[in-house]
Amino acid sequence: MKNLYSNKILKNALLAALGALTLAGLGYAAVSENYDVVVRKKNGGYEIASRPLEGLIARDAFETDHFRVVWKKEEETLTLDRIAQIAEETKTIHKDDPLWADRDADRIRLMAANVLYHAEAAHRFFTDRLASEDVKKLEKIVIRLDLTNKYSQFERFANDNYQPQYNNALSIEAGKPLKPRPGVGPWQREIWFRPEKKIPIGEILAQLPEDPANAQIREARAELYPMQIDLAFRNTLYAAFQSRLDSAGYIDSIVRQGGTMLLMEGAFQVLKVVNRVIIPQKFYLETAMVPEIIYHEFSHIALSDYMHPDLSTPVNEGMADFFAASVADSPKLAKKIRAYSTAVGKNGNKRQFFQMELETLGKAQSDYVLGLLWGLRDVLGEKPATNLIFGARKFLTTKDSDIRTGLVTALLRSCETACESPLRDRMLIHQYLQDRGL
Ligand SMILES: [Zn+2]
């Protein structure tokens, strides 16, 4: 009896020691700490609420096993101490810069906690819900806040003075410098968030080649996008999306790279929560505050083993937004995507639809892809459809895959392995695509 008892103590002590050793081997014991983040309410709106950040390497550092949040071009993980320092520095350096007016320690902490909280949620969606072994094996992704540098495939950060970027977000691929030199080495995949910048809507509209508020087009938009955002904002978004004035280097810097109009509405609702009021006639977007934009960027990373995020195409962006909407799991958003799809469906003549929406070029087509993919959930069921669409990435490339041939073929090929009953399901998919003019 006594022996058994002491054996048990010994065994427990050994187990405890082993546990400590394992933790020591990992270098840290994960902790959880509550931080304010932006969350969706049941009614579809947003609020700022306290949530636990789980799996932190330390209570005061914005780093987990999967992500590391850093400030601008810095390499060190953002900590509470560093945030206090940044807030103090900006008070003196940028005291006359309106861009910095509300960038205090509270705001920076909210941004850091928010990107980490939602990036983890997106990561969990792919590893737990989709059981993706590929996402489980991802390297630790660096998330940059407040970075204005353009991306350079030879340098990672383009020169500070070259076209600073605002109001958008993007994912970059791993790469290495053209000429390695001290301080400039290879980099892994990263997600970048730009700071917000308030730009007068009039200035944006003035740079457009033609009047974007053309009455006929506006009517078509109202039918296709049953949204509640202000008409002025909606038209500005369209205007920004429409523009291909790359040489101006201005308009292309104001919205996030690609993505769909449907998810952008959420962005503007977050804006109201974070800023309390929307300044009329000004366009701005703090992308790090918007859960759906964080999901969208992480989805690009999760798809990037086949679909490189170096180019915005309707298929690439529509796929990323399909997963962004799936992670968000909001009935209200789902309803909007369906309403949009139905409006497009009602239109009947797809050729006419694409011509009418040519003004928005790839953007309207990204929405079309999102609606198309979302509808597959009704045909095959939510989980089988999501698995099928994730599998389709293996047959897609960013550069060469269009909707009509590339996406259709990829879905049917993915079905061969991902569908429960490939023969039956391929027929269902065929029928569904045909009904939608494909
Ligand atoms: Zn994108």
Side-chain angles (χ1 to χ4, degrees):
M1 231 13 214
K2 198 186 168 217
N3 253 352
L4 195 69
Y5 178 69
S6 50
N7 269 348
K8 208 169 165 188
I9 289 178
L10 193 65
K11 202 171 143 196
N12 281 344
L14 271 171
L15 277 176
L18 204 67
L21 267 174
T22 314
L23 287 174
L26 284 171
Y28 63 90
V31 292
S32 163
E33 181 73 28
N34 282 6
Y35 282 99
D36 276 355
V37 297
V38 176
V39 290
R40 241 182 215 277
K41 292 190 288 186
K42 282 214 177 72
N43 70 9
Y46 296 86
E47 65 183 345
I48 294 172
S50 176
R51 289 286 183 277
L53 283 188
E54 274 154 22
L56 292 175
I57 59 152
R59 283 183 203 289
D60 63 345
F62 295 95
E63 177 172 353
T64 62
D65 266 356
H66 312 126
F67 301 99
R68 218 154 61 72
V69 183
V70 304
W71 186 249
K72 295 183 185 287
K73 290 191 280 183
E74 294 177 4
E75 289 308 328
E76 304 76 33
T77 300
L78 198 53
T79 59
L80 292 181
D81 281 350
R82 180 68 190 122
I83 288 176
Q85 239 173 29
I86 294 165
E88 208 44 53
E89 283 165 16
T90 54
K91 247 193 252 169
T92 46
I93 303 168
H94 300 286
K95 75 173 185 297
D96 299 320
D97 186 345
L99 188 63
W100 283 90
D102 41 358
R103 268 224 172 3
D104 56 9
D106 286 350
R107 169 59 76 99
I108 298 170
R109 196 174 54 239
L110 177 60
M111 284 162 58
N114 197 57
V115 292
L116 191 54
Y117 178 81
H118 290 291
E120 280 291 336
H123 193 280
R124 253 193 329 272
F125 177 87
F126 284 95
T127 55
D128 298 4
R129 295 269 300 277
L130 297 184
S132 167
E133 291 301 321
D134 293 332
V135 172
K136 268 179 213 162
K137 281 183 281 194
L138 277 182
E139 71 273 18
K140 193 177 282 199
I141 304 291
V142 170
I143 301 177
R144 295 188 181 277
L145 295 180
D146 224 68
L147 185 69
T148 53
N149 297 70
K150 264 201 147 176
Y151 172 67
S152 153
Q153 68 180 114
F154 304 121
E155 294 277 310
R156 180 164 45 163
F157 309 119
N159 188 289
D160 286 354
N161 300 321
Y162 177 63
Q163 294 184 354
Q165 301 284 298
Y166 303 97
N167 300 325
N168 71 26
L170 76 158
S171 310
I172 67 156
E173 291 194 89
K176 54 180 192 301
L178 198 58
K179 282 185 224 145
R181 54 183 195 274
V184 185
W187 62 89
Q188 301 273 60
R189 285 173 281 201
E190 298 184 344
I191 300 174
W192 294 2
F193 293 94
R194 276 68 164 82
E196 68 176 18
K197 185 182 187 181
K198 296 179 176 71
I199 300 172
I201 286 175
E203 245 177 71
I204 297 165
L205 296 180
Q207 301 224 1
L208 292 172
E210 60 200 62
D211 178 18
N214 171 307
Q216 196 189 336
I217 293 170
R218 201 159 47 193
E219 204 179 301
R221 284 173 200 160
E223 191 197 342
L224 290 175
Y225 295 96
M227 303 185 192
Q228 288 134 24
I229 52 173
D230 305 356
L231 197 64
F233 272 113
R234 198 192 292 179
N235 283 333
T236 307
L237 271 178
Y238 269 104
F241 279 177
Q242 169 193 14
S243 176
R244 288 286 168 109
L245 296 177
D246 208 33
S247 55
Y250 179 67
I251 288 166
D252 76 327
S253 74
I254 68 167
V255 283
R256 76 180 158 124
Q257 318 279 82
T260 63
M261 283 291 297
L262 285 162
L263 258 73
M264 286 300 278
E265 187 182 3
F268 286 93
Q269 307 209 335
V270 170
L271 208 79
K272 280 185 198 162
V273 171
V274 174
N275 295 296
R276 284 180 193 87
V277 284
I278 285 189
I279 298 172
Q281 303 306 316
K282 293 268 171 77
F283 177 94
Y284 58 101
L285 186 60
E286 188 74 271
T287 49
M289 293 296 191
V290 185
E292 285 75 15
I293 294 182
I294 301 165
Y295 304 155
H296 173 97
E297 294 309 332
F298 181 74
S299 297
H300 274 311
I301 299 276
L303 296 166
S304 67
D305 47 353
Y306 296 92
M307 304 181 74
H308 302 286
D310 55 352
L311 204 67
S312 288
T313 67
V315 172
N316 199 18
E317 298 305 331
M319 287 277 283
D321 267 358
F322 171 80
F323 290 104
S326 302
V327 178
D329 198 21
S330 149
K332 213 176 167 183
L333 180 61
K335 216 171 131 191
K336 271 182 199 132
I337 298 171
R338 279 210 180 84
Y340 168 82
S341 291
T342 319
V344 174
K346 254 198 318 213
N347 226 311
N349 190 336
K350 295 301 174 301
R351 192 174 297 145
Q352 184 200 335
F353 160 68
F354 279 118
Q355 267 172 9
M356 179 179 69
E357 289 288 299
L358 266 183
E359 51 148 349
T360 59
L361 296 168
K363 302 302 176 182
Q365 299 194 18
S366 301
D367 286 297
Y368 178 77
V369 171
L370 170 61
L372 184 80
L373 297 176
W374 199 258
L376 279 170
R377 292 163 41 125
D378 297 333
V379 178
L380 301 171
E382 183 188 322
K383 205 170 174 199
T386 311
N387 279 323
L388 169 85
I389 293 161
F390 188 54
R393 80 191 188 287
K394 297 179 183 170
F395 310 105
L396 288 167
T397 64
T398 305
K399 283 192 175 67
D400 308 320
S401 299
D402 61 359
I403 301 171
R404 201 164 281 279
T405 53
L407 184 60
V408 169
T409 311
L411 288 170
L412 291 171
R413 286 188 67 185
S414 173
C415 187
E416 285 166 20
T417 49
C419 286
E420 228 169 74
S421 162
L423 215 60
R424 179 202 64 192
D425 293 346
R426 276 168 60 97
M427 260 171 54
L428 288 174
I429 296 167
H430 242 303
Q431 187 58 51
Y432 169 76
L433 295 174
Q434 215 159 46
D435 290 347
R436 313 199 38 117
L438 286 168

